[in-house]
Amino acid sequence: MTKQPHLPKLPKGFLWGASTAAAQIEGAAAEDGRGASIWDAFAATQGKIKDGSTGAVACDHYHRYKEDIALMKRLGLDAYRFSVSWSRVLPDGVGTANEKALDFYDRLIDELLDKKIEPWLCLYHWDLPQALHERGGWTNRDVARWFEDYAALLARRYGDRVVRWATFNEPGVFTTAGYAVGYHAPGVADLGAYLAAAHNVNRAHGASVVALRGADVKGQIGVVCNQQPARPASPSDDDKAAAALYDLFWNRTFADPMILGGYPEGLQPFFGPFVQDGDLEAIRQRLDFLGVNHYSPTYVKSDPAAPGGLAQGKPPEGAPVTMMGWEIAPKAFAQTLIQEAARYKLPIVVTENGVADRAEVGEGGEVDDPLRIDYLAKYIGAVASAIESGARIDGYFVWSLIDNFEWAEGYEPRFGVVHVDFETQKRTPKRSFEWLRTEIKRQ
Ligand code: IFM
């Protein structure tokens, strides 16, 4: 075997974690009274998911959570970030709660605590109840109230045990992909719908923080944003201007109003018409941390036919890329972390980072995934270098613990440090799992 890389020493108390999302791992879609989410409806529509799959069974984590927590323990994790399925606990999105679903998350949280792993709960990782979508979903201003009630329900139930709360996971991704481009659920491609949805997500964030603080939850409260540098796909002036605007949309639409209290000047012509009196004050609430998810820089080109005139370009010829087409550029990660820490002045946690491959179980039962070891070593190394440059970064969560349902890409990209055989549900820790376990121990 080739020599394995070592990680630099990270500060004392640095947290090691893994992240997942309900719709990507839980399965049990029709069990115990769960209501449908927009991802059930989207995946049921022909041609929306590359391999024609759905999240109906996924990793069957709903039944196998104990086995998955045992893997976390073996990996040496301090914390685990999961999301709650809104339509599992509130099948209609509002109204009567589903006791069996609430029980499931009780058991999950208690099992984590029993194994001395901090439960970090994310309120929303993309799976809006279908019933609410039918009432306009994120484009309806009422969604802030629906989300506030949902947050209050979870706060009352789990506020005594959850160690950290995140309101949203990657609001930029689900609003852009779901409402501007239509590549993700609910499949809307309309700039106006995107702008309304994004602003309402900001309002829902503010309302949910008020609900959590009002319920006196014990844990810290933050939000998780996907922050990535936007680079022009060519040196042309049009592409440079497109990249600058894309950077504002991608990196500032949520974190700026939530943390700094307003949209940056360049976005005001877009969001201005949606902002009502009192909105900005209601959005900006005190936060305890900023979760940063990061995978790669993004390349942008100007395209008058695309939403907002902004289209995805490609990384430069010859740049190393993953199977997702994402450039491997750890220096860009370090720069992003330094920049976000300076701009928002909040402690940062890297709440997602990782890489997809197609590694399968070999004849000897092993899963050899050298790309992941190399990627993680470089990217965790970038975290260390950002810390050295003065950024406060309190932890690193790998995406993901187990291979799972990668949204519109189906099951082909495998992001886990644990392989899942989706026929048998057998879990096999990959070589990267053993490597990470050893490196966490060596700390
Ligand atoms: O799988 C997703 C996750 O749901 C959100 N962040 C990026 C991951 C990889 O695409």
Side-chain angles (χ1 to χ4, degrees):
M1 222 207 298
T2 49
K3 201 167 169 287
Q4 304 283 353
H6 282 315
L7 291 179
K9 200 130 196 92
L10 285 139
K12 208 167 167 270
F14 188 81
L15 288 167
W16 295 95
S19 293
T20 65
Q24 294 180 271
I25 65 165
E26 281 181 3
E31 265 178 73
D32 291 342
R34 175 186 175 276
S37 85
I38 51 173
W39 273 94
D40 297 307
F42 190 71
T45 312
Q46 181 101 33
K48 296 294 186 194
I49 310 293
K50 266 194 189 158
D51 56 7
S53 64
T54 73
V57 177
C59 310
D60 195 28
H61 173 79
Y62 189 72
H63 299 111
R64 294 168 196 263
Y65 67 95
K66 284 196 179 170
E67 183 183 349
D68 294 337
I69 293 172
L71 286 164
M72 296 173 207
K73 188 73 203 156
R74 201 171 131 199
L75 185 52
L77 299 187
D78 304 302
Y80 170 56
R81 184 175 69 103
F82 62 96
S83 75
V84 168
S85 157
W86 186 349
S87 67
R88 196 184 287 285
V89 298
L90 285 165
D92 298 321
V94 290
T96 310
N98 175 1
E99 194 53 39
K100 283 190 175 155
L102 290 170
D103 270 358
F104 165 68
Y105 295 108
D106 265 330
R107 283 183 270 119
L108 176 72
I109 290 169
D110 289 343
E111 180 72 11
L112 287 164
L113 289 172
D114 186 60
K115 296 292 177 297
K116 309 239 168 333
I117 298 170
E118 293 183 359
W120 289 31
L121 187 158
C122 179
L123 297 173
Y124 189 81
H125 197 130
W126 308 1
D127 45 354
L128 185 74
Q130 177 65 15
L132 296 184
H133 175 63
E134 282 158 18
R135 296 167 69 181
W138 290 112
T139 65
N140 182 339
R141 277 184 68 92
D142 289 347
V143 74
R145 195 167 30 84
W146 304 333
F147 194 67
E148 179 181 355
D149 291 347
Y150 163 60
L153 170 73
L154 300 191
R156 285 195 298 275
R157 184 81 175 211
Y158 311 121
D160 57 336
R161 285 161 292 158
V162 163
V163 173
R164 291 212 200 188
W165 298 81
T167 55
F168 283 94
N169 185 75
E170 299 184 351
V173 179
F174 78 81
T175 52
T176 306
Y179 289 88
V181 183
Y183 173 65
H184 275 185
V188 177
D190 177 272
L191 186 63
Y194 157 79
L195 294 169
H199 183 61
N200 287 331
V201 166
N202 278 327
R203 294 177 49 248
H205 161 85
S208 68
V209 175
V210 171
L212 294 172
R213 297 237 185 262
D216 226 359
V217 296
K218 262 176 47 190
Q220 292 191 15
I221 302 171
V223 63
V224 171
C225 293
N226 182 310
Q227 305 299 87
Q228 42 179 183
R231 297 177 172 168
S234 82
S236 77
D237 286 348
D238 283 353
D239 285 358
K240 281 187 191 153
L245 181 59
Y246 189 98
D247 171 57
L248 290 182
F249 271 116
W250 191 263
N251 295 310
R252 308 294 160 227
T253 294
F254 301 94
D256 266 27
M258 289 175 183
I259 302 168
L260 305 180
Y263 293 99
E265 211 182 309
L267 292 183
Q268 283 172 17
F270 297 95
F271 286 104
F274 296 89
V275 178
Q276 295 188 8
D277 277 356
D279 280 1
L280 295 175
E281 293 73 13
I283 291 167
R284 183 194 201 175
Q285 299 295 331
R286 179 174 61 81
L287 294 180
D288 302 308
F289 71 98
L290 171 64
V292 171
N293 293 358
H294 178 100
Y295 292 82
S296 139
T298 190
Y299 288 84
V300 184
K301 58 181 188 196
S302 154
D303 175 358
L310 309 173
Q312 291 283 337
K314 287 205 175 98
E317 232 7 80
V321 292
T322 72
M323 68 174 283
M324 307 293 282
W326 301 346
E327 188 186 7
I328 301 177
K331 279 203 182 119
F333 184 33
Q335 282 156 8
T336 300
L337 291 170
I338 293 166
Q339 186 177 310
E340 301 308 295
R343 185 174 180 92
Y344 297 117
K345 300 185 176 49
L346 282 175
I348 285 182
V349 179
V350 175
T351 32
E352 277 186 31
N353 173 249
V355 64
D357 64 9
R358 295 186 181 82
E360 285 293 351
V361 183
E363 276 174 15
E366 76 297 337
V367 184
D368 201 10
D369 57 342
L371 169 69
R372 181 163 295 100
I373 295 176
D374 187 53
Y375 179 99
L376 295 182
K378 288 182 173 138
Y379 272 72
I380 300 172
V383 174
S385 84
I387 294 174
E388 227 163 76
S389 307
R392 173 161 168 201
I393 301 160
D394 290 349
Y396 176 91
F397 286 53
V398 68
W399 184 272
S400 183
L401 180 74
I402 48 181
D403 293 339
N404 56 53
F405 176 61
E406 178 57 19
W407 310 110
E409 301 290 320
Y411 290 92
E412 197 193 346
R414 291 179 172 272
F415 272 95
V417 291
V418 175
H419 178 276
V420 176
D421 178 328
F422 294 107
E423 294 294 315
T424 63
Q425 292 297 344
K426 185 173 181 326
R427 274 69 165 145
T428 307
K430 302 179 186 178
R431 287 233 157 95
S432 59
F433 177 102
E434 297 306 339
W435 171 81
L436 187 58
R437 175 170 173 259
T438 311
E439 291 302 312
I440 292 175
K441 248 202 202 144
R442 276 184 79 243
Q443 291 286 315

